[in-house]
Amino acid sequence: MNAEDAGANLAREADESHGRTVAAERRALVQALILVLLTLWTFRDEVTKSVAQASTMTQAAHGLALPALAVMLLYCRRAELSRDLQKGSWWGAVLIILAVLAYAVTTWPFYVSYVRKLQFVTAFAGIALVVGGWRILWRCGPLLVLTGLAMPIGWNTYSTLSIRPETLTMDTALKALNLLPDMVVRLQGTELHYVHAGVQGVVGLGDAHNGLAAPLALASVYVFVTFSRVRPAWQSAILLIVAIPVVALGNLLRVLLHACLTVWSGAMPAEGLPRDVALVLSLVATYLVVAAASIVLDHLFVEEGGDSRVATTIRR
Amino acid sequence: MESKDIVRTGAIRRLCSPIFGTTALILLVAAVALDPAMTALDIHFRKTSILPRVSLSAFDAATLPSFKSAPKESPFLDPHPDDDAGTRDHVLQRLQERDANGTDGQVILFVTYYSDPNDQVPHTPEVCYRQIGGVVRAIGSRTVELGQGDWPKRVEVRTVIVEQELANAAIAYVFCANGRFYTRRNEVRLALGWPGDKRVYFSKIEAVSRFERDEQPDLAMARACKLLSEVLPALLTRHFPRQADLKHRAVGAAR
């Protein structure tokens, strides 16, 4: 065999290998789509309820963005997913059986809406295992977290969970607002009563449910930005550790902006515009903070490592 | 077989690995059978309601060893946030320690009774007091002693300190579902769904003791817990249904 034949053979093998990879990717994609559709059909009652809740409750509206975020996240991580694609695991089928059983039990006799909704996460984890094995499940972790964050939590559960962090947020906002000139603010329930330059008014921060809804939206943005690109595990770990303070500060910023916009525009206590503008600005701020943190981490990594593989990893 | 069919069969065979095929089959069966099965089970095992032995509106504070009815004019007490309790069977009384005078030693007793299995478990004070301007400052739990009787000797109750404009509130509350005590709404819901009993009731028993903004809440909370320790046996003895009556359906009750 001469060198030309050997080269042709190698090229043919590479083509065949590439063809097999593409075929495996396509097969995995079709299998995942079929299983997701079957899951949605099985849990159709909860799908209908969740979509209705997300469409009518502003505090759950970020859930509507889940499909788009999921597709974008998968697209951003496609190279990793393709590389880690393995034979499916039977544990996926076990997880799906568990999800179906848990869904059944929380339908009757123990109707617990939120636990029922969380079975989407269990089922999607099972699908990842069935389609691509354990490494794909690991890679799909952020997607599962986003799915969990998108599930609307019942009003009472939400209120109970939110009391402590919300009270802390409002107490801090109260102290910050009282530092402003000509401003006297006191907290009453979930409302801030203020006197500013002789004008009295109320900032309706909303009931308990509205108060902590924003952190879920902020956390969704955080998770999406953190995992929308491939980064070393230590970077992801650092970003996840600082997630809680960043989200808490984002929420505090939202409350402060809401209060300031209401006071300075003379808006009514429960007017939507100041609330919505404050939410959008706090989402943008959270996005910028995560993006800045990512850039800082990337630069630290390159400077300390000084290795060509590092640059390759980051470029990829 | 034509070549196109061979290609199609091969593609389907490659797509349907054993794991994928089994999982898809499981989901398919669940999609078709889950809803009808759950509906049938729900109808077959549906629990029915049960009335209290003596209506709660007939609750007699005179039977309590340490408390009496408070004088009607009580400027110290605000309206209770749950005045609209969603049930006719409830108690809302202002009580006072027997050795206290004026507005000292006052406690609001608020008990609601529900027996429709479809009734919502009522809101808890830490949630609803915020709706009327309260700021929750502490949430915890305490154990109250119920003494000797056909009931648990000790019961854990939930405690809440609420800061309000006029006077702060020390609140102690507990749920009772089919004779068992719980401190969280979800526990009550699980208890109501638990198979076994044929009939259900649930109740929220709440004691609210006010204290001045510059006072410590300890005394007020001790008073609220003391009231619960006396009220719970009274409710179990006179008002709430007997355990034996929960085991079978009411005569003529529809499934």
Side-chain angles (χ1 to χ4, degrees):
Chain A
M1 193 190 291
N2 60 25
E4 237 173 64
D5 290 343
N9 280 343
L10 274 176
R12 195 165 51 246
E13 276 172 23
D15 281 349
E16 281 172 8
S17 164
H18 177 70
R20 275 198 299 274
T21 310
V22 170
E25 281 172 16
R26 282 186 187 156
R27 188 169 62 236
L29 199 61
V30 173
Q31 286 182 342
L33 268 176
I34 292 172
L35 293 179
V36 166
L37 288 175
L38 280 171
T39 304
L40 295 179
W41 184 28
T42 306
F43 299 164
R44 57 190 172 276
D45 183 43
E46 206 50 64
V47 173
T48 317
K49 281 182 187 166
S50 298
V51 171
Q53 272 181 302
S55 313
T56 52
M57 294 159 58
T58 51
Q59 56 265 37
H62 66 280
L64 291 175
L66 176 69
L69 291 181
V71 170
M72 283 163 71
L73 206 56
L74 288 175
Y75 183 77
C76 292
R77 299 167 76 87
R78 63 192 182 285
E80 263 190 323
L81 290 167
S82 168
R83 193 188 61 212
D84 290 340
L85 196 61
Q86 293 168 333
K87 207 176 158 220
S89 164
W90 281 100
W91 284 106
V94 174
L95 266 188
I96 285 177
I97 292 172
L98 285 178
V100 170
L101 287 178
Y103 187 85
V105 170
T106 49
T107 303
W108 181 89
F110 306 117
Y111 183 75
V112 186
S113 175
Y114 187 59
V115 180
R116 199 172 180 237
K117 286 186 180 93
L118 286 183
Q119 297 323 308
F120 284 106
V121 180
T122 317
F124 290 160
I127 291 172
L129 267 177
V130 165
V131 168
W134 289 100
R135 290 184 70 84
I136 292 294
L137 174 64
W138 174 247
R139 295 292 177 205
C140 288
L143 198 63
L144 300 176
V145 175
L146 274 182
T147 309
L149 290 172
M151 295 297 142
I153 302 180
W155 191 85
N156 281 297
T157 309
Y158 215 126
S159 305
T160 309
L161 288 174
S162 72
I163 286 170
R164 285 188 177 100
E166 195 184 54
T167 306
L168 185 66
T169 304
M170 288 194 295
D171 277 343
T172 314
L174 185 75
K175 283 175 189 154
L177 289 167
N178 274 325
L179 292 176
L180 296 174
D182 281 341
M183 181 88 96
V184 179
V185 186
R186 66 190 164 83
L187 183 61
Q188 203 170 321
T190 53
E191 291 173 343
L192 291 173
H193 292 241
Y194 67 86
V195 181
H196 174 60
V199 180
Q200 287 189 3
V202 177
V203 184
L205 292 174
D207 59 19
H209 199 166
N210 287 323
L212 199 75
L216 287 188
L218 295 169
S220 298
V221 169
Y222 193 98
V223 170
F224 178 75
V225 177
T226 302
F227 292 101
S228 61
R229 55 162 299 179
V230 179
R231 60 179 76 253
W234 69 271
Q235 285 195 12
S236 302
I238 289 177
L239 285 170
L240 285 180
I241 288 167
V242 296
I244 292 174
V246 169
V247 168
L249 285 174
N251 194 39
L252 175 64
L253 179 70
R254 178 186 68 86
V255 171
L256 285 171
L257 286 172
H258 183 187
C260 291
L261 289 170
T262 306
V263 171
W264 287 316
S265 68
M268 298 298 286
E271 209 166 301
L273 189 63
R275 181 199 301 272
D276 295 341
V277 171
L279 176 61
V280 171
L281 290 176
S282 66
L283 284 170
V284 171
T286 306
Y287 171 80
L288 291 176
V289 168
V290 193
S294 303
I295 291 167
V296 169
L297 286 173
D298 286 350
H299 281 82
L300 278 178
F301 194 47
V302 170
E303 281 166 16
E304 287 176 4
D307 185 340
S308 60
R309 280 177 304 168
V310 171
T312 313
T313 311
I314 290 169
R315 270 201 301 277
R316 182 142 48 89
Chain B
M1 198 181 277
E2 285 187 17
S3 60
K4 265 186 182 175
D5 291 337
I6 294 169
V7 170
R8 201 175 295 151
T9 314
I12 291 170
R13 195 173 294 154
R14 275 198 303 277
L15 182 68
C16 289
S17 65
I19 304 175
F20 170 75
T22 311
T23 311
L25 192 66
I26 291 166
L27 283 171
L28 197 65
V29 171
V32 173
L34 200 63
D35 268 4
M38 290 299 112
T39 308
L41 283 169
D42 183 29
I43 292 169
H44 185 76
F45 290 104
R46 185 165 290 166
K47 295 177 180 178
T48 55
S49 61
I50 185 166
L51 292 173
R53 277 182 279 168
V54 176
S55 170
L56 291 193
S57 54
F59 181 83
D60 186 6
T63 59
L64 302 175
S66 316
F67 292 87
K68 61 183 181 185
S69 290
K72 290 214 169 168
E73 58 287 352
S74 342
F76 201 29
L77 301 173
D78 305 329
H80 192 275
D82 270 336
D83 277 351
D84 179 18
T87 172
R88 284 184 180 179
D89 238 326
H90 72 276
V91 181
L92 180 56
Q93 288 188 13
R94 288 155 194 227
L95 306 177
Q96 187 171 31
E97 285 177 312
R98 287 194 181 276
D99 51 2
N101 293 310
T103 55
D104 290 345
Q106 288 200 0
V107 196
I108 299 176
L109 173 65
F110 184 55
V111 186
T112 48
Y113 179 94
Y114 307 83
S115 62
D116 183 339
N118 295 321
D119 274 337
Q120 288 271 321
V121 180
H123 294 174
T124 49
E126 62 264 34
V127 172
C128 57
Y129 267 79
R130 306 175 81 213
Q131 309 306 319
I132 56 160
V135 179
V136 176
R137 288 299 174 202
I139 303 174
S141 65
R142 280 195 190 190
T143 303
V144 299
E145 305 272 344
L146 299 192
Q148 292 296 324
D150 190 17
W151 48 71
K153 285 191 179 59
R154 288 177 198 84
V155 167
E156 191 193 345
V157 300
R158 203 145 167 85
T159 56
V160 185
I161 303 291
V162 180
E163 190 180 286
Q164 283 185 296
E165 206 168 10
L166 294 176
N168 294 349
I171 305 162
Y173 72 92
V174 66
F175 290 103
C176 179
N178 280 18
R180 289 175 287 272
F181 292 96
Y182 305 96
T183 53
R184 289 178 170 82
R185 291 178 80 247
N186 278 341
E187 292 172 348
V188 178
R189 292 163 75 181
L190 292 181
L192 296 177
W194 197 260
D197 294 337
K198 300 278 191 290
R199 303 167 86 183
V200 285
Y201 78 88
F202 56 99
S203 170
K204 186 180 73 172
I205 305 105
E206 184 180 318
V208 185
S209 181
R210 302 280 175 177
F211 61 100
E212 298 282 1
R213 294 191 72 147
D214 52 359
E215 273 181 65
Q216 288 296 310
D218 302 350
L219 265 178
M221 187 56 81
R223 195 180 303 131
C225 289
K226 186 178 172 189
L227 177 61
L228 286 189
S229 74
E230 294 184 7
V231 164
L232 295 179
L235 292 169
L236 290 167
T237 312
R238 283 196 68 215
H239 298 271
F240 292 167
R242 291 185 189 87
Q243 288 298 103
D245 296 335
L246 304 170
K247 300 286 178 203
H248 46 80
R249 279 178 207 284
V251 177
R255 271 190 165 175

